[in-house]
Amino acid sequence: MKINMSFLFKVTLSVTLWSSATFALIAFAQAQPVPPVSLSKHWQLVWQDEFDGKQLDKSKWSFEINCYGGGNNEQQCYTDRRKNAYIEQGILKIVALKEEFTGPAAQDDTPSYSPENTRTLPYTSARLRTKNKGDWRYGRFEIRAKLPQGQGTWPAIWMLPTDWRYGGWAGSGEIDIMEAVNLNTITDEKGQSPNQAETRIHGTLHYGRAWPDNVYSGQAYRLPNGADPANDFHVYAIEWQQGEIRWYVDDIHYATQRASGWYSQYMNAQGVLVNGLGSAPFDQKFHLILNLAVGGAWATTVNDKGIDPSIFPQSLAIDYIRVYQCQKSINTGIGCGAIVRDTKLVKGHVAPVLPR
């Protein structure tokens, strides 16, 4: 079918977050953690932000400014105000506040974006991205972070394609390095004991075709020994090479997905649905995104349900971000992998057969 790009931009975040929410309800944490891996000496640091300055480095980051609500009824406006994102003692803090705010109603990249078309929401927060300032194909991406807690919080560290070569979301892919919702509330995960705290983090891929024919797959994970992601800093990472993406927390390799379990099908210039070749869509440049959402289709529908206004302010704290490329093969990223052979292999999905 013919893709309406304006409409597609509007639904991108909505479906992304809704899909992550659905995944959260069915994915299970890895039961037996494995020892930390030893990282390859052939990773070369190519980009970093240690957040040592007094202000955010605008040569590396841009703010998204809108009250769009992510397309799935999130309750925050994203602003560029210092109170929602600032650096303090070498830590970037993205802060969600309970306060009514009015701002643009559309997502920043849509043709309908206009400061005059406004919406008012009851919370504020920030969403930062490196688009056209930090864009990479393959590498190791490390983010040392401390997560917020409480019902209605939704922190995310993730990546989107910069050029959308395979069409709109999710034909061109999405990489979720880390997401979590409602940490330290009572989990509603099946099979858990009563009063078990929510401590899961999630790593996910989104791919397939443009919405609504997109698919996703991933893995949930709990830190060893009952550690709480909201109590301390932990290093969330992926290693991404041609045909394979691996997820890590504190260098524990907890999941792998391979190109045999992802695909891209998109409309070519002649309007014909075709298969992306090779390891598409995860063979193009992606950029980083950091945000803290409030509410939305995932957070408000699980655990205690809704949003607890008494917990705010809450913050997503980032100590550093470091990006590495594999010097053994920059063009493929192959040769630097820290791999545990018996870790969870995410099955993913096989491309549907296209009509001839």
Side-chain angles (χ1 to χ4, degrees), residues 11-24 69-74 76 78 127 154 156 158 169 174 176 179 206 291 293 295-299:
V11 301
T12 294
L13 280 184
S14 172
V15 181
T16 300
L17 302 182
W18 180 88
S19 298
S20 297
T22 305
F23 161 72
N72 68 80
N73 202 35
E74 293 168 19
Q76 80 289 326
Y78 288 130
R127 174 166 154 159
W154 186 349
W158 52 304
W169 190 88
E174 174 187 322
D176 296 332
E179 289 183 291
H206 297 265
N291 71 284
W298 182 4

Side-chain angles (χ1 to χ4, degrees), residues 185-261:
T185 62
I186 302 303
T187 186
D188 58 4
E189 180 185 0
K190 292 182 179 180
Q192 292 298 315
S193 59
N195 299 319
Q196 170 69 49
E198 179 63 82
T199 58
R200 288 172 293 175
I201 61 93
H202 304 261
T204 312
L205 297 181
H206 297 265
Y207 50 95
R209 301 179 186 175
W211 180 88
D213 298 318
N214 54 290
V215 294
Y216 61 92
S217 49
Q219 179 69 19
Y221 178 75
R222 281 194 172 94
L223 298 172
N225 304 315
D228 180 358
N231 274 354
D232 204 351
F233 286 87
H234 296 275
V235 178
Y236 303 96
I238 61 165
E239 290 185 353
W240 169 26
Q241 66 184 50
Q242 185 179 71
E244 184 169 298
I245 297 174
R246 301 177 293 274
W247 286 265
Y248 304 81
V249 179
D250 297 330
D251 293 334
I252 293 174
H253 176 198
Y254 75 90
T256 296
Q257 186 162 350
R258 299 191 177 117
S260 57

Side-chain angles (χ1 to χ4, degrees), residues 21-301:
T22 305
F23 161 72
L25 294 174
I26 63 174
F28 291 91
Q30 180 173 315
Q32 297 296 325
V34 295
V37 295
S38 297
L39 300 183
S40 171
K41 64 181 180 180
H42 298 289
W43 287 119
Q44 181 177 348
L45 186 66
V46 296
W47 190 96
Q48 66 187 122
D49 200 333
E50 305 292 328
F51 304 110
D52 291 332
K54 294 182 178 180
Q55 296 181 345
L56 193 71
D57 187 345
K58 297 294 186 64
S59 71
K60 297 179 178 179
W61 299 97
S62 299
F63 285 91
E64 295 187 47
I65 303 172
N66 65 72
C67 297
Y68 176 57
N72 68 80
N73 202 35
E74 293 168 19
Q75 294 299 296
Q76 80 289 326
C77 290
Y78 288 130
T79 86
D80 62 353
R81 301 176 305 165
R82 180 173 175 80
K83 64 193 299 186
N84 290 122
Y86 60 89
I87 294 174
E88 181 179 72
Q89 297 181 341
I91 303 294
L92 168 65
K93 291 189 176 181
I94 297 177
V95 183
L97 300 169
K98 189 181 186 303
E99 57 173 349
E100 190 172 271
F101 192 86
T102 301
Q107 189 185 357
D108 305 55
D109 288 340
T110 61
S112 61
Y113 184 82
S114 169
E116 285 72 40
N117 179 21
T118 62
R119 184 183 185 192
T120 300
L121 292 173
Y123 294 88
T124 62
S125 187
R127 174 166 154 159
L128 310 176
R129 64 183 180 183
T130 64
K131 185 177 181 180
N132 297 318
K133 299 179 178 181
D135 311 270
W136 306 274
R137 183 181 69 165
Y138 309 135
R140 178 177 171 88
F141 301 81
E142 292 182 351
I143 301 92
R144 186 171 187 263
K146 180 180 178 182
L147 308 185
Q149 62 183 335
Q151 182 66 36
T153 56
W154 186 349
I157 301 167
W158 52 304
M159 304 179 77
L160 281 177
T162 298
D163 298 322
W164 300 91
R165 177 177 175 182
Y166 304 108
W169 190 88
S172 288
E174 174 187 322
I175 303 170
D176 296 332
I177 299 172
M178 188 290 306
E179 289 183 291
V181 294
N182 308 333
L183 291 174
N184 284 331
T185 62
I186 302 303
T187 186
D188 58 4
E189 180 185 0
K190 292 182 179 180
Q192 292 298 315
S193 59
N195 299 319
Q196 170 69 49
E198 179 63 82
T199 58
R200 288 172 293 175
I201 61 93
H202 304 261
T204 312
L205 297 181
H206 297 265
Y207 50 95
R209 301 179 186 175
W211 180 88
D213 298 318
N214 54 290
V215 294
Y216 61 92
S217 49
Q219 179 69 19
Y221 178 75
R222 281 194 172 94
L223 298 172
N225 304 315
D228 180 358
N231 274 354
D232 204 351
F233 286 87
H234 296 275
V235 178
Y236 303 96
I238 61 165
E239 290 185 353
W240 169 26
Q241 66 184 50
Q242 185 179 71
E244 184 169 298
I245 297 174
R246 301 177 293 274
W247 286 265
Y248 304 81
V249 179
D250 297 330
D251 293 334
I252 293 174
H253 176 198
Y254 75 90
T256 296
Q257 186 162 350
R258 299 191 177 117
S260 57
W262 74 61
Y263 66 93
S264 179
Q265 294 182 333
Y266 65 100
M267 294 291 183
N268 66 13
Q270 290 73 43
V272 177
L273 189 64
V274 298
N275 286 302
L277 301 178
S279 58
F282 301 110
D283 62 352
Q284 302 297 309
K285 288 185 177 181
F286 280 60
H287 58 272
L288 282 163
I289 302 173
L290 311 172
N291 71 284
L292 172 51
V294 179
W298 182 4
T300 59
T301 59

Side-chain angles (χ1 to χ4, degrees), residues 322-333:
R322 296 169 185 168
V323 179
Y324 301 82
Q325 288 185 327
C326 180
Q327 293 308 295
K328 284 193 171 183
S329 178
I330 293 175
N331 291 331
T332 67

